Amino acid sequence: MTPLWSVAEVLAATGGRPVGLGDGAITAISIDSRELPKGALFIAIKGDTHDGHDFVAKAIEDGAAAALVSEEYFARVGGAWLIVVPDPLEALNRLAEAARARSRARIAAVTGSAGKTTTKEAIRVVFEALGETHASIRSFNNHWGVPLMLARLPREARYAVFEIGMNHAGEITPLVKLVRPHVAVITTVAAAHLEFFNSISEIAEAKAEIFRGIEPGGVAVLNADHAYLHILLSRARAAGVSRVVTYGFEESADWRIDRYAETLEGADLQIAHEGGRFALALKVKGRHMAANALCALIVGRSLGGEPGAVSAALADFGAPEGRGLTQRLGPGTRPLLLVDESYNANTASMRAALELFHGVKAPDGNKVLILGDMLELGPQSESLHVALADSVAAAGAGAIHLVGPHMAALAAALTGKKGLKARVTHYGDAAQLAETLSSALAYGDAVMVKGSNGIRLGQIVKLIRERFR
Ligand SMILES: Nc1ncnc2c1ncn2[C@@H]1O[C@H](COP(=O)(O)OP(=O)(O)OP(=O)(O)O)[C@@H](O)[C@H]1O
Ligand SMILES: [Mg+2]
């Protein structure tokens, strides 16, 4: 296999100047000296907390093929095994462009207010059944994550899927112009990062930036189950996107889930499309998961995937860690059922998860909800938390543990709520809950843990896994 890059190719793409460097092979691209495969090119990026330039020496010592550094660093520190450029982040972008230019892969890009990583994973599973596939890792979806994932695109890849995120208007445009997808997905539009937007319509406008980078003849695949679809449709038209398809539970969707039935291990769907109907079996639960899977099916089929192969691939798709991963812990006869939703939370994902938990039965005990703050919601934060009261009540939990300062308002709203039988407890932070966790849970219970990553409920999940092995 030809290596990812040659030094000569990197120099040509970035306009960099080699210092004390042969023309070897570069096997990988890394911006983190802790995750550095042998033979990688280490690109020194300045982040919010660290400057990659502080780790150049260590990267070389650990076996990097070369480090790409700034002129400023080279003037100050010098060294060898270097490629010197005015601005390494800019150079990473140029490398991403070169990766895209040489690639013959069919490419999908995914954005949306919730479900990007989950949908990207479902698309990855479908693509892997179709041919050699490259996919973004974790949520590497920002101004350095997207070019980094693109710079890692192997020249042989036949399919690739990238996640694109944003906190502000204008951020998606340059990223999608790098990715130049054949298919662009918007998973949903909802309140997230509201501190930087005045309204959800504005968020829809920002997501619609993804249409600006679609390849000619490309497809926009849009979830139809939200109130902002009309904005997306009109922006897609204005951007000259030739094919737009919609999916979801909504009556008007081009690909409609017209039957959703949970099974012991997952869900059985019936999909209506162009007057016909077909079945899709999943091993994940939740209506949002059904929509994510259907989206991946459409992406696979619109890039030429054979329908049988695409559906078969999706039958194996499992919820990623922190995003609905469900485990039975402890004794087989009386396990603790853990639904791990700890990776993040905003209004859309909270509602989706609560709906999922509504359908969950405790093996032989209580249903317990552990919910943490939804962060980054700006001045409307308190009312958005209080507005969850009905969905929380409807989830059917016998005990509700709320964690974090923003959840105090929801705790108050729930405490006064008519007909709610659940015990509601509020904790200042995850550490406080951790102290009393053992008395809050028992084998036989079903527990769902969800909150923004910053509330650190991932630690609670870890504790549960340790204590209820
Ligand atoms: N289609 C969907 N609609 C609404 N909520 C969803 C959907 N898919 C997944 N979720 C919920 O969103 C949570 C986060 O999912 P995921 O990590 O895929 O989102 P993301 O958009 O990648 O988030 P981030 O912006 O942090 O990268 C899941 O745990 C689940 O609760
Ligand atoms: Mg993500």
Side-chain angles (χ1 to χ4, degrees), residues 274-296:
E274 287 182 344
R277 286 186 157 69
F278 64 93
L280 183 66
L282 301 177
K283 72 168 195 202
V284 286
K285 291 185 206 241
R287 289 164 65 93
H288 62 295
M289 277 296 189
N292 296 342
L294 175 57
C295 174

mmCIF file of all heavy atoms in Angstrom, residues 274-296:
data_model
loop_
_atom_site.group_PDB
_atom_site.id
_atom_site.type_symbol
_atom_site.label_atom_id
_atom_site.label_comp_id
_atom_site.label_asym_id
_atom_site.label_seq_id
_atom_site.Cartn_x
_atom_site.Cartn_y
_atom_site.Cartn_z
ATOM 1 N N GLU A 274 -41.644 6.058 -2.168
ATOM 2 C CA GLU A 274 -42.136 6.030 -3.550
ATOM 3 C C GLU A 274 -43.216 4.968 -3.768
ATOM 4 O O GLU A 274 -43.120 4.150 -4.687
ATOM 5 C CB GLU A 274 -40.967 5.806 -4.508
ATOM 6 C CG GLU A 274 -40.097 7.041 -4.623
ATOM 7 C CD GLU A 274 -38.945 6.898 -5.612
ATOM 8 O OE1 GLU A 274 -38.633 5.749 -5.993
ATOM 9 O OE2 GLU A 274 -38.375 7.932 -5.975
ATOM 10 N N GLY A 275 -44.192 4.944 -2.895
ATOM 11 C CA GLY A 275 -45.325 4.037 -3.057
ATOM 12 C C GLY A 275 -45.066 2.615 -2.590
ATOM 13 O O GLY A 275 -46.002 1.843 -2.441
ATOM 14 N N GLY A 276 -43.791 2.260 -2.342
ATOM 15 C CA GLY A 276 -43.480 0.913 -1.862
ATOM 16 C C GLY A 276 -43.194 0.906 -0.369
ATOM 17 O O GLY A 276 -43.142 1.961 0.267
ATOM 18 N N ARG A 277 -43.038 -0.287 0.188
ATOM 19 C CA ARG A 277 -42.726 -0.416 1.606
ATOM 20 C C ARG A 277 -41.703 -1.511 1.790
ATOM 21 O O ARG A 277 -41.731 -2.516 1.086
ATOM 22 C CB ARG A 277 -43.974 -0.777 2.398
ATOM 23 C CG ARG A 277 -44.921 0.374 2.558
ATOM 24 C CD ARG A 277 -46.096 0.032 3.477
ATOM 25 N NE ARG A 277 -46.650 1.262 4.010
ATOM 26 C CZ ARG A 277 -47.294 2.153 3.285
ATOM 27 N NH1 ARG A 277 -47.470 1.981 2.003
ATOM 28 N NH2 ARG A 277 -47.760 3.262 3.846
ATOM 29 N N PHE A 278 -40.797 -1.325 2.733
ATOM 30 C CA PHE A 278 -39.869 -2.408 3.043
ATOM 31 C C PHE A 278 -39.529 -2.383 4.529
ATOM 32 O O PHE A 278 -39.734 -1.380 5.215
ATOM 33 C CB PHE A 278 -38.608 -2.333 2.163
ATOM 34 C CG PHE A 278 -37.766 -1.091 2.377
ATOM 35 C CD1 PHE A 278 -36.714 -1.087 3.272
ATOM 36 C CD2 PHE A 278 -38.041 0.074 1.655
ATOM 37 C CE1 PHE A 278 -35.930 0.047 3.456
ATOM 38 C CE2 PHE A 278 -37.264 1.218 1.837
ATOM 39 C CZ PHE A 278 -36.204 1.200 2.740
ATOM 40 N N ALA A 279 -39.016 -3.528 5.013
ATOM 41 C CA ALA A 279 -38.731 -3.665 6.444
ATOM 42 C C ALA A 279 -37.262 -3.378 6.710
ATOM 43 O O ALA A 279 -36.400 -3.618 5.861
ATOM 44 C CB ALA A 279 -39.074 -5.076 6.901
ATOM 45 N N LEU A 280 -36.971 -2.855 7.906
ATOM 46 C CA LEU A 280 -35.592 -2.629 8.337
ATOM 47 C C LEU A 280 -35.503 -3.031 9.812
ATOM 48 O O LEU A 280 -36.230 -2.490 10.641
ATOM 49 C CB LEU A 280 -35.224 -1.147 8.155
ATOM 50 C CG LEU A 280 -33.794 -0.745 8.500
ATOM 51 C CD1 LEU A 280 -32.796 -1.394 7.534
ATOM 52 C CD2 LEU A 280 -33.636 0.777 8.439
ATOM 53 N N ALA A 281 -34.638 -4.008 10.101
ATOM 54 C CA ALA A 281 -34.494 -4.465 11.490
ATOM 55 C C ALA A 281 -33.237 -3.843 12.090
ATOM 56 O O ALA A 281 -32.185 -3.839 11.470
ATOM 57 C CB ALA A 281 -34.384 -5.989 11.514
ATOM 58 N N LEU A 282 -33.367 -3.316 13.315
ATOM 59 C CA LEU A 282 -32.231 -2.665 13.968
ATOM 60 C C LEU A 282 -31.967 -3.299 15.326
ATOM 61 O O LEU A 282 -32.893 -3.815 15.955
ATOM 62 C CB LEU A 282 -32.530 -1.180 14.193
ATOM 63 C CG LEU A 282 -32.844 -0.348 12.950
ATOM 64 C CD1 LEU A 282 -33.199 1.074 13.371
ATOM 65 C CD2 LEU A 282 -31.658 -0.342 11.996
ATOM 66 N N LYS A 283 -30.721 -3.196 15.780
ATOM 67 C CA LYS A 283 -30.477 -3.653 17.143
ATOM 68 C C LYS A 283 -30.296 -2.467 18.098
ATOM 69 O O LYS A 283 -29.793 -2.610 19.195
ATOM 70 C CB LYS A 283 -29.303 -4.637 17.195
ATOM 71 C CG LYS A 283 -27.945 -4.063 17.002
ATOM 72 C CD LYS A 283 -26.894 -5.103 17.373
ATOM 73 C CE LYS A 283 -25.550 -4.450 17.528
ATOM 74 N NZ LYS A 283 -24.447 -5.371 17.380
ATOM 75 N N VAL A 284 -30.726 -1.281 17.637
ATOM 76 C CA VAL A 284 -30.757 -0.108 18.516
ATOM 77 C C VAL A 284 -32.201 0.316 18.718
ATOM 78 O O VAL A 284 -33.050 0.081 17.870
ATOM 79 C CB VAL A 284 -29.949 1.069 17.919
ATOM 80 C CG1 VAL A 284 -28.464 0.812 18.033
ATOM 81 C CG2 VAL A 284 -30.329 1.322 16.467
ATOM 82 N N LYS A 285 -32.432 0.966 19.874
ATOM 83 C CA LYS A 285 -33.783 1.428 20.190
ATOM 84 C C LYS A 285 -33.836 2.945 20.142
ATOM 85 O O LYS A 285 -32.805 3.613 20.284
ATOM 86 C CB LYS A 285 -34.179 0.978 21.594
ATOM 87 C CG LYS A 285 -34.395 -0.516 21.720
ATOM 88 C CD LYS A 285 -34.899 -0.830 23.116
ATOM 89 C CE LYS A 285 -34.541 -2.234 23.487
ATOM 90 N NZ LYS A 285 -35.665 -3.086 23.748
ATOM 91 N N GLY A 286 -35.048 3.453 20.050
ATOM 92 C CA GLY A 286 -35.267 4.890 20.086
ATOM 93 C C GLY A 286 -35.659 5.390 18.709
ATOM 94 O O GLY A 286 -35.095 4.968 17.701
ATOM 95 N N ARG A 287 -36.640 6.286 18.696
ATOM 96 C CA ARG A 287 -37.106 6.816 17.409
ATOM 97 C C ARG A 287 -36.010 7.629 16.733
ATOM 98 O O ARG A 287 -35.889 7.625 15.510
ATOM 99 C CB ARG A 287 -38.371 7.659 17.628
ATOM 100 C CG ARG A 287 -39.574 6.795 17.997
ATOM 101 C CD ARG A 287 -40.694 7.624 18.593
ATOM 102 N NE ARG A 287 -41.275 8.574 17.658
ATOM 103 C CZ ARG A 287 -42.337 8.315 16.903
ATOM 104 N NH1 ARG A 287 -42.936 7.157 16.967
ATOM 105 N NH2 ARG A 287 -42.808 9.242 16.087
ATOM 106 N N HIS A 288 -35.194 8.311 17.535
ATOM 107 C CA HIS A 288 -34.108 9.091 16.916
ATOM 108 C C HIS A 288 -33.085 8.168 16.259
ATOM 109 O O HIS A 288 -32.542 8.473 15.207
ATOM 110 C CB HIS A 288 -33.441 9.994 17.948
ATOM 111 C CG HIS A 288 -32.792 9.279 19.081
ATOM 112 N ND1 HIS A 288 -33.508 8.535 19.996
ATOM 113 C CD2 HIS A 288 -31.503 9.155 19.445
ATOM 114 C CE1 HIS A 288 -32.683 8.007 20.871
ATOM 115 N NE2 HIS A 288 -31.455 8.356 20.559
ATOM 116 N N MET A 289 -32.853 6.993 16.889
ATOM 117 C CA MET A 289 -31.923 6.023 16.310
ATOM 118 C C MET A 289 -32.477 5.463 15.006
ATOM 119 O O MET A 289 -31.737 5.214 14.057
ATOM 120 C CB MET A 289 -31.672 4.879 17.287
ATOM 121 C CG MET A 289 -30.634 5.199 18.315
ATOM 122 S SD MET A 289 -29.047 5.456 17.497
ATOM 123 C CE MET A 289 -28.001 5.544 18.933
ATOM 124 N N ALA A 290 -33.789 5.247 14.992
ATOM 125 C CA ALA A 290 -34.429 4.760 13.767
ATOM 126 C C ALA A 290 -34.210 5.771 12.644
ATOM 127 O O ALA A 290 -33.874 5.406 11.514
ATOM 128 C CB ALA A 290 -35.921 4.542 14.025
ATOM 129 N N ALA A 291 -34.360 7.045 12.982
ATOM 130 C CA ALA A 291 -34.160 8.098 11.972
ATOM 131 C C ALA A 291 -32.696 8.131 11.527
ATOM 132 O O ALA A 291 -32.404 8.245 10.327
ATOM 133 C CB ALA A 291 -34.599 9.449 12.535
ATOM 134 N N ASN A 292 -31.777 8.018 12.482
ATOM 135 C CA ASN A 292 -30.350 8.034 12.123
ATOM 136 C C ASN A 292 -30.021 6.872 11.185
ATOM 137 O O ASN A 292 -29.271 7.025 10.219
ATOM 138 C CB ASN A 292 -29.476 7.932 13.375
ATOM 139 C CG ASN A 292 -29.638 9.120 14.313
ATOM 140 O OD1 ASN A 292 -30.129 10.177 13.901
ATOM 141 N ND2 ASN A 292 -29.241 8.960 15.558
ATOM 142 N N ALA A 293 -30.560 5.700 11.487
ATOM 143 C CA ALA A 293 -30.280 4.523 10.664
ATOM 144 C C ALA A 293 -30.876 4.698 9.267
ATOM 145 O O ALA A 293 -30.237 4.382 8.260
ATOM 146 C CB ALA A 293 -30.845 3.268 11.331
ATOM 147 N N LEU A 294 -32.091 5.219 9.214
ATOM 148 C CA LEU A 294 -32.717 5.440 7.903
ATOM 149 C C LEU A 294 -31.876 6.422 7.082
ATOM 150 O O LEU A 294 -31.684 6.239 5.884
ATOM 151 C CB LEU A 294 -34.154 5.955 8.077
ATOM 152 C CG LEU A 294 -34.886 6.336 6.785
ATOM 153 C CD1 LEU A 294 -34.941 5.163 5.804
ATOM 154 C CD2 LEU A 294 -36.297 6.837 7.090
ATOM 155 N N CYS A 295 -31.376 7.438 7.748
ATOM 156 C CA CYS A 295 -30.513 8.405 7.066
ATOM 157 C C CYS A 295 -29.309 7.696 6.443
ATOM 158 O O CYS A 295 -28.979 7.914 5.267
ATOM 159 C CB CYS A 295 -30.066 9.469 8.069
ATOM 160 S SG CYS A 295 -28.865 10.602 7.381
ATOM 161 N N ALA A 296 -28.672 6.821 7.218
ATOM 162 C CA ALA A 296 -27.496 6.102 6.706
ATOM 163 C C ALA A 296 -27.882 5.221 5.525
ATOM 164 O O ALA A 296 -27.121 5.085 4.557
ATOM 165 C CB ALA A 296 -26.872 5.270 7.827
#
